Structures are given as C-alpha cells and as structure tokens.
Amino acid sequence: MSANNPFDDGHTPQALVPPLPAASVNPVASGAPDLISDTTGLISGQETAAPAQNPGQPQAQDTLNEPVWQTIWRDFRRIAIKMSFVFLPRKSRVASELHDWDLWGPLVATLTLAVILSLTAPPSQSELLFTAIFVISWLGGSVLTFNSLLLGGKISFFQSVSLFGYCLFPLTFCAFLVAILKLVLGGDSSLFLVLKIIFVVVTLGWSTFACVPFLSDLVPTGRKTLALYPVFLFFCCMAWMVLMVK
Amino acid sequence: MQRTSSEATISANRAQAFPLKTATPESKTTIPAPPVPPTLQFQPTIYTEGNDPYPFLNPATTTSAPNPFVTSSEPAPPPLAPAQLAQPPAAPAGLPVAPGDGGPLTVGDAHFWKLRFWQRYFNVDTKMVGKRLLLSLIPITDAFWRSLNDGVPSSSSASTAVVDPGGMIFPGEKAQPPAAVAPTLATRRNSDLYGPFWIITSLIFLMGIVGNLASWFEFVPTEAQPTWRYNFYDVTYATASLYPFLLFCSGGLWLLLTFCRKPEAPAGSPPVTSVPNPTGANPADVFSAPIGTPAPAPTTTAPAAQPKAGPTTTVSLVDMICVVGYSFTVYLPVAIVSILPWAALRWVLIVLACAMSAAFVCRNLWGLFMEGGSLWRTVLFLGLYVLASVGISLFMEFFFFVYAYAH
C-alpha cells in the first residue's frame, strides 16, 4: 500500500507519541484495558511486562491528561529541534528528523515572514504582500514537491512540503534581522542597503543548501539538478521579496 | 478477484506478451528475471470488456467499439488481446525510471489525474535538458526537433529494460513489446514539459525583477511620488500573458498541423491522412497521439502524376508545447542584460530575441508543415506564429522594460 501511494510515508501517529512507561498507563488497577487513555493504540497488556524505565524522572503523563501548556511546549520544542537541523544542515540528521513531518513549523515560518514583511511594507501594499507571501510559499512548496515527484523522486508529499517550509526559516530570520537593522540604521542609509543585500544573499544560499542533502537522496541520479533548480528559483523569489520591501 | 486466479491470469498474459522468451528459454539474450521483492509485488485489476465498471472511462477497453473518429474505409483493427487490456496500476512513485525508458505508453495505462500520466512528460535528465537548452539557441538547424527523440527506446536496439503490460520492469530483458503497442513505443517522441514550464516560470520571475530594477535605476523623485515603490503587479501581468501565450500558440500550431495539412490527392482516391488507428488509441487523446505512424503506402495503380503523399508525421500537443516553450530560452539572457539602463540596447536585444525565437520555431516546424502541405500554406501558418511572437515581444518590451522607464 505504502509503496504505491506517494502521499504515504508510513508516518503514523504512533511515531509522534513516545512509548509510555508502564507505570503511567495503569490508573485502573484491574486488568481491564483503559481504552480512553490508551492513545498509543497498544494493548495495555503489553505494557505490564515492561518495567518502569526512568524511575528518577517524574512519571510521564498521558497526552490526554497532561496540561495544555505542556502539549504546546512539547510541540514547540519539536519545531525548534527541526529548525536547528535546517540552520545547521547535517545530512544524516536532516533526513531522519524530517521523516516525522509536521506542518506547524512551515506555518510558523510563513506566517512570521509574511507578518514581518507586511509590517515593514508601505500601508498600501501590506495586504497584498501578506497574501502574496503566504500563497507563494505554500503553493510553491506544493509545486516543487510535484516537480520532484514527476522527476521520479521517492518523496512523500507532505514530508516534502514540510521540508520546504522549514527551509524558509533562514529567510524569516533574515527578514527579522533586516527589520531590526532598519530601526537601528534608518531605511535610507547606504550601509543598511549593503548589509541587507549581504544578508539576503547569504540566507538564500543557506536555505537552498539546507535542501540539498534531503533532495539528493530522494531524486534519481542524473536528475538532481533538475529538482534543485526550481528550489533555487523559489528561494530566489522569497529572497527578492525580503530584499525589495522597504 | 481471487489471488490465485489473478496470478494465473498475469502469467498467462506474460506468456502471451513475450512468446519468444517462453518458447526459447535457452536463448542467449534471456536473463532470468530477478526475484521480485515482496514489497513490489502487486495484484493488478484486469479490466476487460466484461468486468470494467467504467467502460466509458477506460479507452483501452472500448477499442472494439466502432471508432467515430476513424474516417478510413479500412476495417477497424481487431480488438486487443487481453494482455493489452490489462490496466497496469500506477507504479510506485519512487520507482526509478531509466532515462531511456519511455514508460509504458499505452493510452489506457494511466489517466491524466494520476501522477504516472504526467511522469512520462518529465522523463528527462540533466544532460538532455542541457542539450535541448543549447539547441534552442540555434535557430538555423532543426537539431532541436531531432533531439526530441532522445531517450526513446528504439525498436532495433536491445534495450536494457522493458515494461511489460503489467507494469513491471525486468532488467536486462530484450525489448519485445506486444505487436499492437510496438508502433507507439518505437516512434513516440520524448517531449518534456519540464523545460517549457520552468523556462516560462523563470522568465516571469526575471521580468518581475527586471522591470522593477529598471525603474529603480532611473527613478527621479518628484513631488507626486517622492520615494520609489516596488510594483508587485508586474509579475501578475507576466503570468497572465506568458502562460496563455504558450498554451494558445502551441495549441494553434497543433491544430493546424493536425487538421490543415491536407494532401492534394486527386478526387476519388481515399483520403490518405486517415490512419487506421493501429494502436487502438483514442484520437481525442491529444496528449499521446502516436507519431510517425506511416500512412498507407500509395497504391501501385495510382497515377504517377499523383502530386504528393500525405503527411507521414503526426505530432502531439506536447511536442508543440515543447518547441514553443523552449523557444523562450533566448529571452532569459536578454531579460538579465535588460537590467542595464540603456533603452536603445533593450530595443536591439528584444528585436534580436524575437527574431531568434520565431526563427527557431519556424525552422523546426518547417519540415512538418511542408510535408504534405503546400508552400503557401506553410508560409501562411508560420507567418501567423511569427506575428504572435512579435506581439508578445512588443508586450514584454512595453510593459516591463520601457513602460517602467516611462514612469
């Protein structure tokens, strides 16, 4: 099934939830399985055999019973970890870590970029700019994914969309830096212009090269350049927007 | 369908499709097929006319019905064997497609909403795209048109892999496709859509940049507009003009090549343009029209003064999109150089690019139009394209290069 379906990477919700220690799952003392809190889908009887793994740590909560801030914090930490892999691309880590894709990271990246740019743009263009950046980044990610798939790449759809979204983080960071520089140096100074161009060029290369190890693993040999050129064009487009907004 | 009966049907189909291999297993070229890993095995649903739930959706199963598009007086082709009626399921998306492998090219093997249908139009590698890009800058030969045959397995050479009607690839197997599929496999061009799409997209992006940079270089603050502003609408205009131009022009050329190339045959003789549809392909399927299908040979009793044979080469819409799309390669360096703030240079460059692009299309399609058509028709049709090309060049010049300059 999964071999035929490009949208399926074998990623199931089970991979998101760490296996629960035995002590946590069994508030009901009897042998009846607690179906409500058994979110992993594992049969409760399986866990009775395993001893508590980390006795020193506080008992891991069930994901349904834990406080909301803890859930949010865990997801946030997850996004931050993946973001760090984009900022410091290492071949083995990127591939394995981005296998568990999520779309929260790309949403944060594109929303932040769009908000920063539309706040710094002149008021007449801010709405258009916000819409353009949001639409271009999501549509562009989809088009790039389809391009890789059509070239014969072995990519799951949302995994790839997630990757391109995470690779926007350097450009978001650049837009943030440029906005701060504009406050410090003023929008008209030539030093600001030079620094802006340098930042944008560096982060453009950064974003593109963060995609290289991932894409080159999954696209057939001899077609890597064909898959990489549209990615470069996409990041060029986003970098141009960061550069041009006054 | 039971698993066992399905397997039996597949093996029967294979025996039917490759009769030589089963008859002479000791043949030198025979390499035993490697054991298929269990994850790659599949059970294809075999649609025949009896059990096809959607007969109107599957062109392959309706071939025995009289085809309204065939105007030939010759009898309809015999219905395809069950081996060709088999619907190969979509291959795994990651299945590495060999560059020389055109994929299974039967009409009914994938529908246009499936990824596999479009994968055949992206069956190029970096070298082939580079070669085509270089050739598209040379308007004096039709080498580009000939390069569209790159990557198509020729029927004479022993190909390294062949896709059987079930869709499985057997490495090292000699290409001996079933007879009904052979003309399609052997003569289809390997036109790609990768080049046209990304060339046009790059051009749109470049024009969005160039138009704004040009206006930025030449901006003079006035009272009405004290500071320069970025104009995001440039990209919108470029998108709304270039993609439709590509589609309409290539569609028009395809229509002219398909319907307006009539041979000047004497009255009374059967129309030689009608090909008896040997592949059972639906003629309405413009994407995979087989090309190079030889027209029926002129009968020996025909008078020697019969002027011309009919057109012997049919083209598909994708071939035309490929030629027209690659003709825009010239505009990419022109758009980059047009950043320089000299209006005269821009005019010279855009005229040069327009001439090269139109000449490229005319040179590559000249032979096709002349084949079975007359000279004046060829000049008229290609002249129409030249006019359209001049139009889009002027549009680009005024809206992106000079229009910004005027502000």
Side-chain angles (χ1 to χ4, degrees):
Chain A
M1 175 198 78
S2 64
N4 273 333
N5 188 2
F7 293 92
D8 183 15
D9 58 344
H11 171 72
T12 56
Q14 290 183 11
L16 278 178
V17 185
L20 299 179
S24 67
V25 193
N26 209 1
V28 187
S30 70
D34 185 4
L35 291 179
I36 294 175
S37 62
D38 191 16
T39 56
T40 61
L42 299 173
I43 303 169
S44 301
Q46 194 178 344
E47 283 139 15
T48 53
Q53 289 165 349
N54 298 321
Q57 291 187 357
Q59 285 190 349
Q61 289 282 323
D62 195 295
T63 49
L64 280 184
N65 293 334
E66 72 184 5
V68 176
W69 67 265
Q70 203 172 339
T71 313
I72 293 176
W73 174 246
R74 197 181 51 231
D75 289 343
F76 193 74
R77 213 174 45 196
R78 201 171 191 81
I79 292 174
I81 289 172
K82 289 186 192 174
M83 208 169 75
S84 74
F85 290 138
V86 171
F87 274 105
L88 300 170
R90 276 167 298 173
K91 188 168 178 168
S92 54
R93 301 301 297 274
V94 170
S96 63
E97 192 64 27
L98 287 183
H99 186 72
D100 287 342
W101 54 268
D102 65 285
L103 295 179
W104 287 110
L107 185 69
V108 169
T110 52
L111 271 184
T112 316
L113 185 64
V115 164
I116 290 175
L117 289 191
S118 64
L119 281 182
T120 51
S124 63
Q125 288 188 344
S126 64
E127 288 174 19
L128 174 69
L129 200 62
F130 185 90
T131 317
I133 287 176
F134 199 74
V135 169
I136 286 178
S137 54
W138 285 97
L139 217 64
S142 313
V143 169
L144 294 181
T145 305
F146 272 118
N147 183 61
S148 309
L149 281 174
L150 287 169
L151 288 172
K154 196 188 286 184
I155 296 178
S156 115
F157 184 81
F158 286 112
Q159 188 184 353
S160 172
V161 169
S162 166
L163 170 94
F164 293 129
Y166 270 106
C167 287
L168 274 179
F169 267 117
L171 279 171
T172 308
F173 179 64
C174 172
F176 183 65
L177 269 187
V178 164
I180 289 181
L181 270 183
K182 188 183 173 187
L183 285 181
V184 173
L185 295 174
D188 291 330
S189 72
S190 55
L191 177 65
F192 169 66
L193 188 65
V194 171
L195 281 180
K196 188 162 90 166
I197 291 176
I198 291 176
F199 278 170
V200 167
V201 169
V202 167
T203 48
L204 168 65
W206 203 336
S207 288
T208 310
F209 281 113
C211 287
V212 169
F214 184 79
L215 269 184
S216 58
D217 273 354
L218 300 177
V219 175
T221 329
R223 300 184 178 194
K224 299 189 198 312
T225 317
L226 296 185
L228 207 58
Y229 168 70
V231 175
F232 175 68
L233 196 68
F234 171 66
F235 287 129
C236 267
C237 186
M238 305 307 282
W240 178 252
M241 292 211 170
V242 176
L243 189 66
M244 265 304 116
V245 172
K246 288 230 129 186
Chain B
M1 184 177 291
Q2 291 292 322
R3 175 176 290 251
T4 51
S5 73
S6 175
E7 279 171 357
T9 318
I10 294 168
S11 56
N13 286 347
R14 288 207 176 120
Q16 214 165 352
F18 304 96
L20 279 183
K21 298 194 61 58
T22 50
T24 60
E26 68 279 1
S27 164
K28 219 191 242 179
T29 56
T30 302
I31 299 169
V36 182
T39 53
L40 283 179
Q41 280 179 345
F42 55 85
Q43 303 295 326
T45 311
I46 296 182
Y47 293 131
T48 57
E49 281 178 74
N51 69 348
D52 185 8
Y54 308 108
F56 52 94
L57 285 181
N58 282 323
T61 61
T62 56
T63 46
S64 64
N67 196 330
F69 291 96
V70 177
T71 56
S72 166
S73 57
E74 299 193 19
L80 292 175
Q84 284 99 51
L85 293 177
Q87 280 273 348
L95 199 66
V97 183
D101 172 26
L105 301 175
T106 51
V107 172
D109 81 322
H111 293 292
F112 71 90
W113 59 83
K114 288 186 178 165
L115 206 60
R116 180 160 179 73
F117 179 89
W118 298 100
Q119 266 177 347
R120 77 183 76 173
Y121 300 123
F122 286 73
N123 187 19
V124 284
D125 53 21
T126 311
K127 273 185 198 166
M128 280 158 65
V129 171
K131 183 185 172 189
R132 287 177 189 185
L133 283 176
L134 280 181
L135 287 177
S136 65
L137 296 175
I138 305 173
I140 53 172
T141 69
D142 61 347
F144 177 82
W145 181 254
R146 281 182 271 119
S147 81
L148 291 188
N149 289 318
D150 289 356
V152 179
S154 65
S155 55
S156 57
S157 68
S159 128
T160 53
V162 64
V163 177
D164 78 352
M168 292 302 291
I169 294 178
F170 296 104
E173 204 153 11
K174 190 173 163 63
Q176 277 192 341
V181 193
T184 323
L185 263 180
T187 55
R188 186 180 164 271
R189 285 191 190 87
N190 192 17
S191 302
D192 64 312
L193 291 180
Y194 176 92
F197 181 75
W198 288 113
I199 287 171
I200 297 287
T201 309
S202 310
L203 191 58
I204 289 169
F205 173 65
L206 272 181
M207 290 193 339
I209 288 185
V210 167
N212 279 291
L213 268 190
S215 76
W216 185 50
F217 281 143
E218 295 161 13
F219 176 73
V220 179
T222 57
E223 288 184 9
Q225 198 180 7
T227 57
W228 176 81
R229 271 191 195 166
Y230 190 83
N231 183 10
F232 281 104
Y233 290 102
D234 271 5
V235 182
T236 320
Y237 297 143
T239 310
S241 60
L242 282 179
Y243 285 129
F245 177 83
L246 175 68
L247 282 183
F248 283 123
C249 274
S250 44
L253 286 173
W254 176 76
L255 284 178
L256 289 177
L257 273 175
T258 308
F259 294 111
C260 297
R261 274 195 308 169
K262 289 203 175 151
E264 294 153 359
S269 68
V272 286
T273 46
S274 63
V275 179
N277 204 9
T279 58
N282 184 3
D285 187 357
V286 298
F287 290 102
S288 44
I291 58 103
T293 313
T299 53
T300 52
T301 58
Q306 188 171 4
K308 273 171 192 168
T312 58
T313 312
T314 31
V315 294
S316 66
L317 179 59
V318 174
D319 293 335
M320 290 300 106
I321 292 180
C322 190
V323 171
V324 176
Y326 271 100
S327 78
F328 277 88
T329 316
V330 173
Y331 287 100
L332 294 174
V334 165
I336 293 175
V337 178
S338 290
I339 295 177
L340 298 176
W342 300 314
L345 177 73
R346 282 179 200 154
W347 271 107
V348 170
L349 281 178
I350 202 84
V351 168
L352 210 65
C354 175
M356 278 181 75
S357 160
F360 167 78
V361 172
C362 292
R363 180 65 187 88
N364 279 285
L365 299 186
W366 182 271
L368 287 177
F369 274 108
M370 284 297 283
E371 188 178 81
S374 59
L375 180 64
W376 71 269
R377 273 180 189 243
T378 307
V379 172
L380 175 68
F381 292 156
L382 289 179
L384 282 179
Y385 176 76
V386 171
L387 274 185
S389 176
V390 168
I392 195 80
S393 301
L394 286 180
F395 176 81
M396 282 158 65
E397 175 73 10
F398 278 112
F399 267 79
F400 302 106
F401 305 146
V402 179
Y403 185 67
Y405 172 65
H407 277 258

